[in-house]
Each structure stands twice: as C-alpha cells, then as structure tokens.
Amino acid sequence: MGLLDRAGARLTSHPKEAEILIVNTCSFIDTAKQESIDTILEMAQHKASGSAKRLIVAGCLVERYRDEIRKSIPEVDAVVGTGELEAILEAAGLARPAAEASLSPFNILAGAARPGQESKSGTHKHAAESARAEGGGGFNPRTEPAEATRALAPESASRPEGDHREQQGRFSRDDWQGATHLLPTYLYDETTPRYLTTPKSSAYIKIAEGCDHPCSFCVIPNLRGKFRSRRFESVVAEAQQLVARGVREITLIGQDTTCYGEDLGLKDGLALLLDALAAIEGLRWLRFLYAYPNRITGKLLDTIARHENICKYLDVPLQHASPGLLKRMKRGAGADIFLKTLEKVRAAVPGIALRTSFIVGFPGESPRDFEILEEFIGAAKFDWLGVFNYSDEEGSGAFSLDAKVPKRTIEARKRRLMKLQQSISKRAKQQWVGRELVLLAEGESDETPLLWEGRTQFHAPEIDGKVYINDFGALETLEPGRFYRAEITEAHEYDVVARVLGGPL
Ligand code: SF4
C-alpha cells in the first residue's frame, strides 16, 4: 500500500470507488484459502459490473496457486506473491517514482479501520482509486514479475538449521502444481514506504520473515521461505520513525520472533532488539508475538521484566501437550516441560499475561492425547487461548500421515477446550475487579456508542478479550490513542468493564 500510495494511487477501502482492486490473500489453512477465494470472486463481480478495470491478487495464495488463479479466474489481471512486493506497481500499471529515497516512508491512513473490522483469517481487500500511470509503466497482463524481482532480492545468510531442513525437503513445493519453485527471499526495510491501516497510536513491525522449524502440520515455511532477519539498525530506525509520527505502541511480529538475529550472528538477538527499542523515548508499549517454546531464554525474560514499557505479555503457541503427539508434529517436549517453562516465565515476570494456541484433531490424536491436553490446560491456566481445527494441507509432513481424525470429533474437541478455557478465564477475570491499570482508549465500541473500548498491556491488539469503558470519571470524553488510568469494575468470561480514574497520561 505504501508503494502504491507513493506512486500516485489514492487508496480506498470501498471497492465501488476503485479503478484497481487488490485482494491480499492468505493460504495456510483451508478456511483462510476459502475466504481468500470468496473475496477474489466477490471482487471479480465488482470488476464485471462496476468501475474497476483491473483485479490483482497478492499474497500467500499466489505462492501456492500462482497458475491456477489465473487459469480459473480469468478476471484476474495480475498476481503478486509475497516475495515480489515491489512488482505491485507494475501489476497496477504505475511507474516507480524517480526520487524515491528522498520521500518520507510513512503515510497514516485517515479514519483507519478499528481493530476487529478486518478479516479474521488475514484476507484483506484494498483498492487503489484513480491510479495515475504517470510516465508510462503500461500494464501487461502477461507480465510475470516474480523471477525478475526475486533475482534482484539480496541474498540473506541462512542459518545452518534452515540449510539442513532445506536438504531434507522442508521447503519443497513439488506437490504444489502451479507454484513457482523459487522461495521468497524478500525483506522490507526502513526505507520501504508504509501505509498504516492500524489506529494511529499502534503499529506492527515485522522483524523477520520465513521459518526453519519442521512442524509437520505447517506449510508456512513452504509459503514464506527460509528464516531471515531484518537488519537490527533497520528495525530500530523504523521504530524511531513510527514513534516520531505519534505511534505509542509497537508490536513486533514474524513467524518466529524468538529466532531473531540468529542468521545475523547475534546471540539473544530479540532481547538485544527489545533493549534498543525500549530506549526510544515516547514508546509506551512494546511487545512481540509468537515465541517458540524452547527459545524463551532467561535473558529474554529478564529483558521483559526490566523495562517498564515492555508489555508483560507473552504469546507462545504450544500446539499440543501430549509428548507423543508433539513428536508426530515434529515439535517435541510435552506437558511436564511446558509447565516448567511457564513456571520459569511467571517467576521471572510476575503478573505476565500468557497466550497460547492449540491444534485439535492432528492425525493420530487419541482420546488419551486429548485428555493430556485438557489436563494441561486446566493446570497451566492461560490468560488467553486459541484453538484451531487441524487442516490437512498438501505439502505438509502430516498430509501423508494415517489415522486422520473425523471432522465431527475435531469440532467436539474444540468445543470442549473452549468451554474449559471459558471457565478458567471467567475465574481469572474476576480477580481483575478492583485493579488499577493503564488503559489505551481505542474509541467507541462497535456494539454500542454508549461504551468505549480499550486495552491494557495484557491485551494484544485485535486478538484478546476487550475492556469496555462505561464511565469516563471526571472527563467529558476520551481521546482515541491516549492512555488513561482506570479501575476494573466488572468481569465477564473474557471481557472486563472499566471506569476511568484520570488522564490522559
Ligand atoms: S514454528 Fe510456526 S510457522 Fe514455523 S513451522 Fe512451526 S507452526 Fe509453522
């Protein structure tokens, strides 16, 4: 979006207004693929009946079904995979601006979408309106920019772990007809233009791309390529630029943030990065998502504990708790080891909020495996928990495994876990009542204008429960994106209600 904006396109989220429609897709599980395809078809109808002249499909679905998309949906004019972001300009028929380096890399979208208004599984449609193809850059529907762009991408130094897994066929796309065999190597940097669609006080920064882990249910490495970190200085520079423009909350993301810097020769790279970012004046909340369980080092925990502006929050997807099943998943460990890890985390960072996610219905998941998972959830008492149904993905190691679990059993197991977590969460949220916390006000609730919504440091953007604000205290109104002191007055299963005590801070 930043590249399009800089090249002269005006961006709109209303397809009816657009001359160019762009669907950014996801394809790591069935439901995400379906949502992506439904959105492409919906946009194809707009193209047929409305003002749009061009339809572009971008993202992970392209990495997987590059040829098939174009064959099956003739309305699609161009495809842009995750490794060829800059080819979006060519696909849109826009010329690259001449003096790119001298322009500011940021443009904040006015009236940005509120959390929760976008797709749940990651499909986003955006449209470039009134694109002006200044200076040529004529559109050629036959152009396949992938090979050219990839050839220009800098070679990232891969980790020995990734090279080893590559030799074992971890990143192979041989089973995927119509996918290019070249893996993405693209990484953006601090000079890449961005167009923020998050509320103006919050931003995500991707610090690494790809993944070298062997998890047998997962095709993300096949889609996203080998693990590669962004340069340390580039991440710090981007964070400084964001804070200078009013961002107060930064969330670091990547498929596995806890590996950050290993390919750059850094030891404890994420801890070092957090140290550097926490020192940025004006940054109030800093967090990272998606820790790999055996990469949570003492140094990382010490860094979280030491900085007031690093949120006491850890998202560590565990996927399962049965040692036998985790072995089949090619992840290792099990309930006993995880409980020790959680104990270590809670001792090092008292009061930390823990989030995890599990997969139910992995091939061979026996009633006993499921029981172990239930017992573990009961003992671990996570603050936030997500449950995913196993999705059988061609190209994943688990695709060829036998003993597939019937869909009905998977659904029933998911419901059981959610019910269990509901009762754990309800009891835990009751303990919040009476607590004084700092709250980031986000704006009027989608459900009713009588309530506002906000978040504490224990809520990551867009994913965890909500804080409803029903009392502004002595204040007339609140300002979205500002921080306030508040007291929790009521608790529900996942959400809590708060009263403002003072601020803005
Ligand atoms: S660590 Fe996450 S992204 Fe990487 S292979 Fe495992 S599940 Fe997939």
Side-chain angles (χ1 to χ4, degrees), residues 295-344:
R295 309 267 168 163
I296 304 169
T297 62
K299 176 136 190 200
L300 181 60
L301 294 173
D302 171 58
T303 308
I304 299 171
R306 202 154 24 88
H307 294 281
E308 209 192 323
N309 61 350
I310 298 186
C311 297
K312 308 303 172 245
Y313 181 98
L314 188 70
D315 183 343
V316 51
L318 295 176
Q319 314 298 3
H320 213 279
S322 156
L325 208 74
L326 281 162
K327 201 167 170 205
R328 271 167 86 86
M329 286 179 161
K330 294 217 171 123
R331 286 182 63 93
D336 292 348
I337 293 174
F338 291 158
L339 284 173
K340 284 202 186 102
T341 305
L342 299 179
E343 207 181 305
K344 181 176 104 175

Side-chain angles (χ1 to χ4, degrees), residues 170 210-221 255-256 292 317 319 331 359:
R170 174 63 178 117
C211 181
D212 292 340
H213 288 294
C215 312
S216 62
F217 52 83
C218 182
V219 292
I220 289 174
Q255 274 82 42
D256 175 8
Y292 198 79
Q319 314 298 3
R331 286 182 63 93
I359 293 174

Side-chain angles (χ1 to χ4, degrees), residues 121-349:
S121 65
T123 308
H124 302 277
K125 51 178 182 281
H126 284 286
E129 184 201 18
S130 305
R132 300 187 299 274
E134 286 156 3
F139 176 68
N140 173 6
R142 298 210 161 274
T143 308
E144 278 298 350
E147 317 293 317
T149 313
R150 278 164 209 234
L152 291 173
E155 266 318 302
S156 59
S158 49
R159 301 151 69 224
E161 198 176 334
D163 295 339
H164 171 66
R165 298 259 151 73
E166 189 171 26
Q167 280 158 19
Q168 293 177 325
R170 174 63 178 117
F171 303 96
S172 165
R173 298 170 164 205
D174 294 348
D175 297 340
W176 292 349
Q177 279 180 2
T180 163
H181 67 282
L182 288 172
L183 287 172
T185 55
Y186 179 85
L187 274 178
Y188 82 101
D189 67 24
E190 78 282 14
T191 64
T192 312
R194 282 188 66 180
Y195 195 90
L196 299 185
T197 55
T198 40
K200 65 179 191 311
S201 58
S202 293
Y204 293 95
I205 295 183
K206 183 165 261 194
I207 60 169
E209 184 60 270
C211 181
D212 292 340
H213 288 294
C215 312
S216 62
F217 52 83
C218 182
V219 292
I220 289 174
N222 313 51
L223 291 166
R224 291 273 168 174
K226 289 164 80 173
F227 178 83
R228 53 213 187 268
S229 304
R230 279 182 59 196
R231 281 183 305 107
F232 194 94
E233 299 75 18
S234 171
V235 178
V236 175
E238 185 183 6
Q240 284 167 338
Q241 289 166 1
L242 285 163
V243 173
R245 279 158 183 80
V247 166
R248 295 289 168 260
E249 178 189 31
I250 287 177
T251 303
L252 307 179
I253 51 167
Q255 274 82 42
D256 175 8
T257 47
T258 42
C259 277
Y260 176 77
E262 284 186 15
D263 52 329
L264 306 173
L266 292 175
K267 192 170 176 299
D268 279 309
L270 180 60
L272 294 175
L273 185 66
L274 289 169
D275 261 333
L277 298 177
I280 299 174
E281 209 169 311
L283 179 59
R284 286 197 75 109
W285 282 355
L286 170 64
R287 75 178 86 227
F288 60 94
L289 299 181
Y290 321 130
Y292 198 79
N294 67 6
R295 309 267 168 163
I296 304 169
T297 62
K299 176 136 190 200
L300 181 60
L301 294 173
D302 171 58
T303 308
I304 299 171
R306 202 154 24 88
H307 294 281
E308 209 192 323
N309 61 350
I310 298 186
C311 297
K312 308 303 172 245
Y313 181 98
L314 188 70
D315 183 343
V316 51
L318 295 176
Q319 314 298 3
H320 213 279
S322 156
L325 208 74
L326 281 162
K327 201 167 170 205
R328 271 167 86 86
M329 286 179 161
K330 294 217 171 123
R331 286 182 63 93
D336 292 348
I337 293 174
F338 291 158
L339 284 173
K340 284 202 186 102
T341 305
L342 299 179
E343 207 181 305
K344 181 176 104 175
V345 171
R346 284 173 167 140
V349 191

